[in-house]
């Protein structure tokens, strides 16, 4: 179980994390989301004992994250936002070294490791510094999972992975969750969280602005669609149902719709002849507009 | 101490150690080979051509006529400050600050080993490698002088020279180690580690030049090791050794303590 109580870590220029409180229960997957620079990595650094918070307490399985970092590492797998490996080491050599640092002998327990190498198609020959960025990320994944940890702390785990590997990673997380692992996944990509996490915490400028069930977050999502009509549409209907829109030309529109009102939008559009209907890829800022604007009002 | 990490340290730094073992052994061998049992007349003649201040700065103003004294002046005079100083500066930085600076230290901290355990391992490697360096020098000295001039070397004095020089170098190494633990940035770690040692070295050189500058010697760690006094039997070996050991331990503890509580940028 991961718990933070009022943890605060300030950097210069009003940056940092402030009075963070969240709890990830055993067997739960928690998505920790926010744009870059919101404080996700700072939080994880406190959890991993790399930084000590200036205020508050962070614990994993009841152990103090700073003082008991070694005991926590025994049961934890960690993927850093960006891993720097040792110069001049080969992939196999590195994995063996980390296994020995974990106190397991080379011959034991390589089964899980080998299956992970195979699953992610990790290139094990050659030196780490010559690997491409996605290979390095795969190596970080194998390193974090190879000792079958109970708790997983993942910071942008799919960074640099191609869509196929991303989906293999999501499958892995789903399997781990089924085995009762406790997972905290920090990401700015909503797609990763959508398929794996039960709950999400939304972080903005070092504050948690919302902690919600994933379904509720999805319903708060503002979706945007590009629509081309055959003829000039009936805008009165759109306005009446409260949909925002932007007009690009006489027939091209961008329509904004909250996640729980898609059904209403489909009904309105059914009266028109629609030629093109594209869902727009959204940035996290757009997705969490609701939370962000709420925060702005409170501030 | 973490054994796998210690083995990695040996593997990573063996080449550096071998270079210094080789260079210093070569130097020591050549000096012993140069010794003329019939007197050091030729060397004294040569030194008389140089300015007095330079000879004094090089600590060669008095050369003992025995083999042990000859090695004591020529090898344990200045060389013993310079080579190990460079070794300690490079190694000190490589053991801690380099990995913190490039972020790879995080790999160590994702394993179930406490910071203290990891950093103690790094410090012990420093001590271990310096002991290896001086053990080899001691054996090389014994072997070459035994081969060239059997029965001439005063073995117990030669041992004392090596013991004190070894402890001096461990202290020097701990200065570099401390700054390597304290700073997250290799520039600062190198700057402070090397800077302080160079100041000590300059003070020692300058203190030998004239009576006006002699007071500087009091502020230099290097002046605590005086090879001629050891050769002449005038030095209190126990005091010197206990002094170096105490300073080394304090620096080691301070380095470990500083590293244990700091925020790591990895």
């Amino acid at each position: 179980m991961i718990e933070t109580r009022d943890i605060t870590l300030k950097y210069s220029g009003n940056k940092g994390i402030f009075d963070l409180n969240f709890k990830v229960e055993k067997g739960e997957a928690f998505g920790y989301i926010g744009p870059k620079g919101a404080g996700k990595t700072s939080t994880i650094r406190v959890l991993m004992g790399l930084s000590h918070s200036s205020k508050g307490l962070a614990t994993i399985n009841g152990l103090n994250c700073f003082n008991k970092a070694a005991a926590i590492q025994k049961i934890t797998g960690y993927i850093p936002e960006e891993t720097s490996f040792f110069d001049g080491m080969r992939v196999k050599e590195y994995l063996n070294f980390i296994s020995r640092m974990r106190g397991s002998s080379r011959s034991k327990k390589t089964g899980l490791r080998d299956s992970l190498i195979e699953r992610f198609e990790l290139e094990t020959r050659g030196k780490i510094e010559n690997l491409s960025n996605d290979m390095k990320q795969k190596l970080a994944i194998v390193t974090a999972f190879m000792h079958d940890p109970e708790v997983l702390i993942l910071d942008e785990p799919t960074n640099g992975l191609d869509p196929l590997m991303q989906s293999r990673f999501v499958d892995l997380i789903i399997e781990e969750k089924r085995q009762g692992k406790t997972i905290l996944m920090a990401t700015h990509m909503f797609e990763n969280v959508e398929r794996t996490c039960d709950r999400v915490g939304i972080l903005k400028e070092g504050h948690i602005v919302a902690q919600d069930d994933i379904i509720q977050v999805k319903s708060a999502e503002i979706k945007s669609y590009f629509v081309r009509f055959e003829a000039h549409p009936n805008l009165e209907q759109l306005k009446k149902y409260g949909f925002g829109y932007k007009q690009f030309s006489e027939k091209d529109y961008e329509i904004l719709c909250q996640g729980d009102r898609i059904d209403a939008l489909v009904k309105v559009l059914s009266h028109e002849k629609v030629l093109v209907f594209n869902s727009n890829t959204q940035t996290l800022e757009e997705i969490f507009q609701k939370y962000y604007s709420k925060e702005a009002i409170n501030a | 101490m973490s054994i796998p990490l210690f083995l990695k340290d040996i593997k990573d730094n063996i080449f550096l150690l071998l270079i210094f073992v080789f260079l210093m052994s070569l130097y020591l061998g050549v000096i012993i080979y140069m010794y003329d049992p019939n007197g050091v007349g030729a060397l004294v003649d040569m030194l008389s051509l140089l300015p007095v201040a330079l000879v004094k700065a090089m600590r060669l103003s008095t050369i003992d006529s025995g083999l042990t004294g000859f090695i004591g002046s020529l090898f344990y005079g200045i060389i013993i400050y310079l080579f190990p100083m460079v070794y300690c500066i490079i190694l000190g930085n490589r053991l801690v600050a380099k990995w913190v600076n490039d972020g790879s230290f995080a790999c160590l901290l994702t394993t179930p080993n406490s910071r203290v355990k990891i950093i103690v391992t790094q410090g012990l490697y420093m001590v271990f490698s310096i002991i290896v360096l001086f053990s080899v020098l001691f054996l090389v000295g014994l072997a070459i002088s035994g081969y060239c001039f059997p029965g001439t070397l005063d073995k117990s004095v030669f041992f004392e020279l090596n013991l004190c020089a070894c402890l001096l170098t461990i202290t020097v190494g701990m200065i570099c180690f401390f700054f390597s633990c304290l700073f997250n940035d290799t520039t600062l770690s190198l700057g402070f580690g090397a800077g302080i040692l160079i100041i000590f070295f300059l003070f020692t050189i300058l203190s030998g030049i004239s009576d006006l500058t002699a007071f500087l010697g009091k502020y230099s760690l290097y002046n605590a090791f005086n090879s001629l006094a050891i050769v002449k039997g005038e030095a209190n070996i126990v005091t010197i050794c206990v002094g170096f050991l105490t300073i080394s331990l304090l620096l080691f503890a301070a380095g470990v303590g500083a590293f244990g509580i700091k925020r790591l940028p990895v």
Side-chain angles (χ1 to χ4, degrees):
Chain A
M1 188 186 84
I2 305 165
E3 189 176 6
T4 69
R5 262 180 264 151
D6 296 326
I7 57 165
T8 298
L9 176 60
K10 284 176 189 148
Y11 295 111
S12 55
N14 273 334
K15 288 205 158 187
I17 46 177
F18 308 95
D19 300 308
L20 294 189
N21 284 291
F22 64 83
K23 219 182 205 182
V24 187
E25 299 291 346
K26 189 176 163 22
E28 188 186 29
F30 183 70
Y32 195 50
I33 43 187
K36 285 181 179 172
K40 301 187 295 290
T41 299
S42 300
T43 314
I44 286 184
R45 291 167 47 75
V46 172
L47 291 175
M48 288 290 93
L50 298 172
S51 285
H52 46 92
S53 52
S54 40
K55 206 185 103 192
L57 179 69
T59 58
I60 291 180
N61 279 9
L63 300 165
N64 181 311
C65 287
F66 193 78
N67 302 331
K68 296 276 185 276
I72 287 174
Q73 286 301 340
K74 201 168 273 177
I75 53 158
T76 304
Y78 167 46
I79 300 181
E81 188 185 23
E82 197 181 336
T83 315
S84 311
F85 298 98
F86 299 108
D87 285 344
M89 251 188 167
R90 292 174 178 282
V91 175
K92 268 273 162 67
E93 194 186 351
Y94 175 75
L95 290 172
N96 287 335
F97 172 67
I98 294 294
S99 298
R100 283 198 298 274
M101 288 293 285
R102 290 198 161 276
S104 53
S105 70
R106 197 188 297 199
S107 55
K108 264 198 297 180
K109 275 193 181 174
T110 54
L112 178 59
R113 184 179 102 182
D114 293 340
S115 73
L116 286 164
I117 290 174
E118 206 175 313
R119 182 173 198 158
F120 287 100
E121 297 170 20
L122 173 66
E123 183 64 61
T124 55
R125 278 166 300 170
K127 289 191 171 174
I128 299 174
E129 62 240 48
N130 299 333
L131 294 180
S132 58
N133 282 339
D134 66 322
M135 275 297 166
K136 284 183 185 167
Q137 189 63 22
K138 290 174 184 179
L139 178 56
I141 294 173
V142 173
T143 313
F145 284 83
M146 67 182 180
H147 54 287
D148 197 18
E150 281 172 46
V151 178
L152 291 159
I153 309 270
L154 315 169
D155 195 353
E156 301 285 0
T158 55
N159 237 351
L161 295 186
D162 60 44
L164 174 67
M165 289 302 154
Q166 287 194 15
S167 93
R168 282 193 196 171
F169 182 80
V170 166
D171 292 343
L172 176 67
I173 295 294
I174 292 168
E175 284 167 32
E176 295 288 319
K177 209 176 87 178
R178 226 174 267 150
Q179 289 173 33
K181 307 288 175 70
T182 308
I183 302 167
L184 182 137
M185 178 150 75
T187 181
H188 67 282
M189 285 159 76
F190 191 64
E191 305 91 88
N192 289 332
V193 175
E194 214 170 354
R195 285 180 53 198
T196 52
C197 294
D198 314 301
R199 252 178 356 109
V200 290
I202 298 160
L203 193 65
K204 188 206 173 190
E205 288 164 10
H207 298 272
I208 290 185
V209 290
Q211 276 191 72
D212 257 327
D213 208 74
I214 193 91
I215 305 291
Q216 274 170 291
V217 172
K218 274 189 69 89
S219 61
E221 199 180 322
I222 308 274
K223 288 197 177 277
S224 133
Y225 300 97
F226 284 115
V227 186
R228 171 171 291 171
F229 298 99
E230 196 185 49
H232 187 75
N234 184 353
L235 295 173
E236 289 309 311
Q237 280 293 317
L238 279 173
K239 280 183 198 159
K240 189 178 151 197
Y241 284 91
F243 297 113
Y245 61 88
K246 255 188 246 169
Q247 188 169 5
F248 295 110
S249 71
E250 197 197 340
K251 293 164 188 168
D252 290 307
Y253 289 83
E254 181 190 3
I255 301 175
L256 299 170
C257 166
Q258 215 163 298
D260 54 357
R261 301 198 58 220
I262 294 173
D263 185 56
L265 179 66
V266 171
K267 280 182 182 144
V268 170
L269 293 181
S270 68
H271 302 297
E272 308 287 343
K273 186 153 190 190
V274 176
L275 298 179
V276 177
F277 186 80
N278 277 339
S279 132
N280 188 15
T281 339
Q282 292 167 80
T283 62
L284 195 73
E285 283 81 354
E286 287 169 327
I287 291 175
F288 297 113
Q289 218 162 7
K290 179 185 162 191
Y291 290 101
Y292 281 19
S293 51
K294 198 196 276 174
E295 165 74 8
I297 291 160
N298 292 345
Chain B
M1 191 182 87
S2 160
I3 304 284
L5 180 59
F6 194 79
L7 293 174
K8 176 171 165 56
D9 286 332
I10 294 179
K11 204 176 161 200
D12 286 354
N13 300 299
I14 189 87
F15 193 63
L16 181 71
L17 178 61
L18 284 178
I19 290 175
F20 278 86
V21 164
F22 176 75
L23 282 177
M24 290 181 76
S25 299
L26 191 72
Y27 215 103
L28 180 62
V30 169
I31 283 174
I32 295 172
Y33 183 74
M34 270 168 38
Y35 176 66
D36 179 359
N38 301 320
V40 285
L43 182 66
V44 171
D45 285 349
M46 190 192 84
L47 289 175
S48 68
L49 299 172
L50 299 171
V52 181
L54 179 66
V55 176
K56 273 187 177 169
M58 286 162 71
R59 296 188 147 196
L60 293 171
S61 41
T62 39
I63 293 186
D64 196 282
S65 56
L67 173 62
T68 319
F70 185 76
I71 300 172
S73 300
L74 285 169
F75 190 76
Y76 293 88
I78 291 291
I79 299 301
I80 209 65
Y81 300 151
L82 275 178
F83 278 89
M85 185 206 281
V86 176
Y87 178 73
C88 291
I89 292 168
I90 298 173
L91 183 66
N93 185 58
R94 281 172 70 101
L95 285 175
V96 189
K98 182 178 168 258
W99 284 349
V100 173
N101 194 49
D102 73 15
S104 47
F105 211 99
C107 300
L108 301 175
L109 293 175
T110 59
T111 63
N113 296 283
S114 67
R115 286 184 189 205
V116 169
K117 186 173 168 186
I118 289 169
I119 213 70
V120 163
T121 308
Q122 299 305 85
L124 287 179
Y125 175 77
M126 169 81 98
V127 174
F128 163 80
S129 75
I130 292 170
I131 292 174
V132 168
L133 176 65
F134 280 91
S135 305
V136 173
L137 282 180
F138 178 64
L139 294 175
V140 166
L142 283 188
I144 295 182
S145 41
Y147 178 75
C148 297
F149 311 102
T152 324
L153 185 73
D154 185 334
K155 292 193 181 77
S156 69
V157 170
F158 188 61
F159 177 75
E160 285 171 4
L161 277 174
N162 275 295
L163 176 68
C164 294
C166 179
L167 292 174
L168 164 75
T169 306
I170 289 176
T171 313
V172 167
M174 284 303 125
I175 291 174
C176 298
F177 176 75
F178 171 72
F179 286 114
S180 194
C181 290
L182 191 63
F183 295 117
N184 292 331
D185 192 321
T186 45
T187 327
L188 286 172
S189 143
L190 280 172
F192 273 83
I196 285 185
L197 293 178
I198 289 167
I199 288 171
F200 280 161
F201 182 72
L202 287 178
F203 279 8
T204 296
I205 297 280
L206 291 173
S207 71
I209 290 178
S210 85
D211 293 341
L212 282 174
T213 52
F215 75 96
L216 288 172
K218 278 190 273 182
Y219 302 103
S220 168
L221 176 75
Y222 286 125
N223 273 44
F225 174 82
N226 184 335
S227 57
L228 279 183
I230 295 173
V231 171
K232 286 180 187 156
E234 290 164 1
N236 187 339
I237 305 290
V238 177
T239 315
I240 295 172
C241 292
V242 169
F244 282 149
L245 277 176
T246 312
I247 302 171
S248 301
L249 271 175
L250 288 176
L251 285 166
F252 189 84
V256 172
F259 194 85
I261 55 168
K262 77 172 175 181
R263 281 188 184 140
L264 285 168
V266 293

